[in-house]
């Protein structure tokens, strides 16, 4: 072994170790960001589900009112007659 190999080997090994730690830190940071995004996504899905349930109830109420109006209009003799 020559002197350059003895000096270069630890530098290369510690460089690889440092780079591995940086990559591991980036992966941990990305996983934390992913968990935050998933949590926000869950909140959005819950709010959308609530909005759909509200719209469904409103649509059912409007259907009942529409039926009632239809029955009242048909009960008029002038409209119920067919010519």
């Amino acid at each position: 072994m020559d002197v350059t190999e003895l000096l270069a080997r630890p530098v290369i090994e510690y460089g690889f170790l440092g780079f591995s730690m940086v990559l591991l830190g980036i992966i941990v940071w990305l996983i934390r960001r992913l968990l935050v995004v998933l949590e926000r996504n869950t909140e959005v899905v819950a709010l959308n589900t609530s909005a759909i349930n509200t719209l469904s109830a409103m649509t059912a109420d409007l259907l009942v009112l529409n039926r009632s109006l239809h029955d009242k209009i048909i009960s008029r003799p002038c409209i119920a007659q067919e010519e």
Side-chain angles (χ1 to χ4, degrees):
M1 283 212 235
D2 62 349
V3 175
T4 47
E5 188 176 326
L6 286 174
L7 293 175
R9 177 171 272 177
V11 171
I12 292 172
E13 288 176 357
Y14 287 128
F16 181 75
L17 178 65
F19 185 67
S20 298
M21 290 299 165
V22 168
L23 288 178
L24 185 62
I26 290 172
I27 289 171
V28 168
W29 177 75
L30 285 174
I31 289 173
R32 287 184 180 170
R33 293 283 301 154
L34 176 65
L35 291 176
V36 169
V37 169
L38 288 176
E39 184 178 326
R40 289 182 185 167
N41 189 31
T42 303
E43 292 172 6
V44 168
V45 168
L47 290 173
N48 283 345
T49 303
S50 174
I52 289 172
N53 287 338
T54 302
L55 286 174
S56 177
M58 286 174 45
T59 303
D61 293 342
L62 289 174
L63 183 61
V64 169
L65 290 173
N66 193 13
R67 267 301 151 196
S68 172
L69 181 62
H70 174 266
D71 293 342
K72 287 178 184 177
I73 289 175
I74 293 298
S75 69
R76 304 278 183 188
C78 60
I79 295 175
Q81 287 180 346
E82 292 185 25
E83 295 184 27

